[in-house]
Amino acid sequence: MAELKVLFKDIDVPGIQTLEVYEQHGGYSALRKALGMTRQQVIDEVKASGLRGRGGAGFPAWIKWNGIPKDESQPHYVQCNADEGEPGTFKDRELMLRHPHQLIEGIIIAGYATLSKVGYIYIRGEYTEPARVMRRAIDEAYRAGYLGKNILGSGVDFDLYIHMGAGSYECGEESAMMSSIMGERGQPRLKFPHAPLPTIAGLWNCPTLINNVETLSCVPAIIRNGGAWYASMGTEKSTGTKIFSVSGHVNKPGNYEVEMGTPLMELLELAGGVKGKLKAVIPGGSSVPILPADKCDVNLDYESLQAAGTMLGSGGFMVLNDTVCIVKFMRRTAAFYAHESCGKCTPCREGTRWMVKIFDRILAGGGRMEDIDLLLDICDQIDGRSYCALGDAAAWPIRASIKHFRHEYEYFIKHGHSMVEAQAEHSVGGR
Ligand SMILES: Cc1cc2nc3c(=O)[nH]c(=O)nc-3n(C[C@H](O)[C@H](O)[C@H](O)COP(=O)(O)O)c2cc1C
Ligand code: SF4
C-alpha cells in the first residue's frame, strides 16, 4: 500500500514553484513536445490516456477537447475551474500553491490543442495565497516565453489571466462561472440539449474548453510519457491516479494521490487510520451520497463507487466516526446548500430552505415522524427538477442519510435528542 504519485511526483522538491527548478525537473518539456505535434495528435494522446474530468462529473477530457471547432472563425477560450467550493475538497489548492507551473503548462497545451489564444483561471476568492503563487508563476512563464506571443518561436500565441471569485459555491458550476467571468450575475445557463455546449457557445458565446485544475495538471505528464502510459495505471474505465482530500476523523488528514481502483480501506490506512470507530465515509465531497461503514469495502474508482451507491465526485473524502450524530451533520449539510442556492429556480431555492426548517424542528425537539418522509419528498421534488446540479447535490446526501441511518432520525424525533449523544452520555455515566 503506497501512494502513486504523478501530479505530486515532484511536489516535495524544494523550490518546484519556481520556473528554474521546475525546468530542472523536466518542466515545459511537454509543451515543447506538444508544439512539435499536430493539434489532433495532442488530443489523441489525451484520448489514449483515458483521462476523465476531476471536477466532479468524470466526463472524458478528450471529448471536450475534440468538441472545440477546428476553425478560427471565432475566438476560442480555455477556462480552468479553480473554484474548489465543494466542502471537503482541498486538492486544487495544493496543486496551485505547490506546483503552479505544472498547471500552467497543462493549460497552455490545452490552449494549443483547441486553437485557443486566451485562458482564464477562475480561483475562489478565499484562495488568496494560491492566487499569489499562480500570479508569480504566470509572470515567470511570460518572461521565459512560454506565454504571450509566438511561444518558443512556434507562431502560437496564448495569454493567461486569473479571475478571482467572490465566495460563491455556485460559481464553481461551469456555466455560472462563465457568467461570472463575463461580469454577469453568477447564475447558471440553460444546458444542453436545450442550449449549445460550452465547447460551441461558451464565454462570449465562443467555443470554450472548461476543465478542472487537477484535470489540466495531468496533461504535462500525459504528453511527456504518452497516453498509453497514463492508461496503464488505474482501472480500464477509471485510468491514472486521483488525489483524495482526506479530512475528518483520521490521524493524518491531507491530500493523498493514489492509483484509481485503490481499496477505500487502504486510503484510510494511508491517512493514519480512523480515530475511533468508523461510522461512514463521504468519498467525493459533500454532494455525494454517504457510505456507511459496512459498505466501505469498495474500490476508489468511478464505477465501483457508483455500484456502491455513491460517487467519486471531486475526491473530497470525509471520514466520520461513531461520535457523529448523522441528523446534526445533515442539518449542517442542508444549511450549506440552502445558503449557496443562487435562487434562480424554485425547487432548489424553496426546497433547500424547507429542508433546513424541518431539520431545525427536529433538532429543537419538535419533530414529527412524518418529517422523515417529508424530507424524502422534498428531495424528490428537487432532484432532477432543478435548473442546475446544485439542486441534485442538495438532495442526494439527505436521501442517502435517511436510507442508511433512518433509525437515528426516528430516535431523535421520538426522544427529542440525539441517539449518538445519548449513547455517549450513557457510556460515560456507566463507567
Ligand atoms: C454547484 C456546482 C459546483 C461546482 N463546483 C466545482 C468546482 O469548484 N470545481 C470544479 O472543478 N468543478 C466544479 N463543478 C463542476 C463543473 O461544473 C464542471 O463540470 C467542471 O469544472 C468540468 O471540469 P472537468 O471536466 O475537468 O471535471 C461544480 C458543479 C456544480 C453543479
Ligand atoms: S438549482 Fe436552481 S436555485 Fe439552485 S443553484 Fe442551481 S439554478 Fe440556482
Side-chain angles (χ1 to χ4, degrees):
M1 174 208 46
E3 289 182 79
L4 182 61
K5 295 184 180 180
V6 173
L7 294 161
F8 282 170
K9 185 170 84 61
D10 296 325
I11 205 152
D12 292 324
V13 172
I16 196 73
Q17 300 91 335
T18 63
L19 180 62
E20 188 187 351
V21 177
Y22 185 63
E23 284 177 328
Q24 283 164 9
H25 287 77
Y28 289 102
S29 61
L31 175 62
R32 287 177 198 279
K33 186 174 170 184
L35 291 174
M37 296 160 72
T38 66
R39 296 183 151 90
Q40 195 58 46
Q41 281 171 337
V42 174
I43 295 173
D44 289 345
E45 216 55 67
V46 175
K47 180 179 182 182
S49 75
L51 176 67
R52 293 168 64 173
R54 304 298 195 226
F59 191 78
W62 81 272
I63 295 183
K64 284 189 190 175
W65 290 40
N66 205 39
I68 301 278
K70 317 267 179 203
D71 65 81
E72 287 184 275
S73 55
Q74 284 178 296
H76 298 182
Y77 298 101
V78 177
Q79 178 179 317
C80 170
N81 192 336
D83 195 57
E84 194 156 65
E86 182 71 15
T89 316
F90 42 88
K91 66 191 172 69
D92 296 342
R93 178 180 188 278
E94 186 153 7
L95 285 169
M96 289 189 284
L97 203 52
R98 300 184 62 202
H99 221 335
H101 283 288
Q102 177 174 250
L103 172 60
I104 294 169
E105 188 176 8
I107 294 175
I108 304 169
I109 295 171
Y112 169 67
T114 57
L115 280 164
S116 307
K117 288 190 172 22
V118 176
Y120 295 94
I121 309 178
Y122 189 99
I123 303 182
R124 67 177 288 169
E126 294 88 341
Y127 280 2
T128 46
E129 184 60 12
R132 200 179 57 79
V133 173
M134 289 305 305
R135 273 200 194 96
R136 202 172 48 208
I138 289 172
D139 286 349
E140 279 186 309
Y142 266 107
R143 281 198 296 274
Y146 294 124
L147 280 169
K149 296 262 176 265
N150 193 18
I151 294 172
L152 301 174
S154 64
V156 172
D157 304 336
F158 191 77
D159 284 308
L160 185 56
Y161 301 98
I162 287 177
H163 189 108
M164 294 304 284
S168 155
Y169 172 62
E170 177 58 4
C171 283
E173 194 278 339
E174 58 184 29
S175 68
M177 181 174 290
M178 289 192 279
S179 308
S180 177
I181 291 175
M182 291 163 59
E184 297 168 3
R185 191 171 179 164
Q187 289 188 317
R189 294 185 187 178
L190 205 57
K191 292 279 156 42
F192 184 81
H194 309 292
L197 290 164
T199 46
I200 302 298
L203 286 169
W204 296 282
N205 275 331
C206 295
T208 303
L209 174 74
I210 306 172
N211 275 135
N212 165 261
V213 166
E214 185 182 354
T215 316
L216 289 163
S217 294
C218 290
V219 170
I222 289 172
I223 297 301
R224 230 181 358 257
N225 304 305
W229 163 82
Y230 191 81
S232 70
M233 296 175 282
T235 69
E236 192 191 337
K237 291 188 179 155
S238 302
T239 58
T241 62
K242 174 82 191 88
I243 302 172
F244 287 92
S245 305
V246 186
S247 66
H249 293 124
V250 287
N251 289 306
K252 288 195 300 175
N255 283 312
Y256 294 89
E257 184 178 12
V258 294
E259 192 169 4
M260 283 276 197
T262 296
L264 185 153
M265 298 309 281
E266 281 191 20
L267 180 62
L268 282 178
E269 279 176 47
L270 267 176
V274 180
K275 276 187 186 166
K277 186 165 177 265
L278 181 67
K279 177 168 189 164
V281 163
I282 298 163
S286 70
S287 302
V288 312
I290 191 167
L291 205 56
D294 62 359
K295 298 219 166 10
C296 283
D297 188 14
V298 63
N299 293 342
L300 297 170
D301 57 74
Y302 293 107
E303 289 69 35
S304 304
L305 286 168
Q306 200 179 351
T310 185
M311 289 185 291
L312 187 93
S314 59
F317 191 96
M318 292 181 270
V319 182
L320 279 51
N321 74 10
D322 64 354
T323 63
V324 176
C325 168
I326 294 294
V327 184
K328 289 189 174 180
F329 183 82
M330 285 299 157
R331 192 268 172 208
R332 184 72 199 83
T333 306
F336 170 77
Y337 289 101
H339 182 257
E340 296 298 335
S341 169
C342 81
K344 181 165 179 158
C345 70
T346 311
C348 168
R349 183 188 62 240
E350 300 301 322
T352 52
R353 281 167 202 178
W354 274 108
M355 288 206 284
V356 175
K357 284 186 183 178
I358 295 168
F359 271 108
D360 283 345
R361 179 160 71 199
I362 297 174
L363 260 52
R368 309 165 193 162
M369 274 306 161
E370 323 70 278
D371 282 346
I372 302 175
D373 286 334
L374 189 54
L375 280 172
L376 288 175
D377 190 26
I378 298 174
C379 289
D380 292 345
Q381 297 302 328
I382 301 177
D383 185 9
R385 291 184 161 88
S386 301
Y387 198 88
C388 84
L390 187 146
D392 306 337
W396 294 338
I398 309 296
R399 191 190 280 139
S401 74
I402 295 176
K403 179 177 171 200
H404 298 299
F405 298 96
R406 193 179 184 109
H407 58 285
E408 282 197 35
Y409 282 85
E410 288 172 350
Y411 184 101
F412 214 123
I413 291 170
K414 191 169 168 199
H415 300 279
H417 58 255
S418 159
M419 186 180 106
V420 173
E421 288 166 13
Q423 281 169 347
E425 275 171 31
H426 185 254
S427 68
V428 171
R431 266 186 211 151

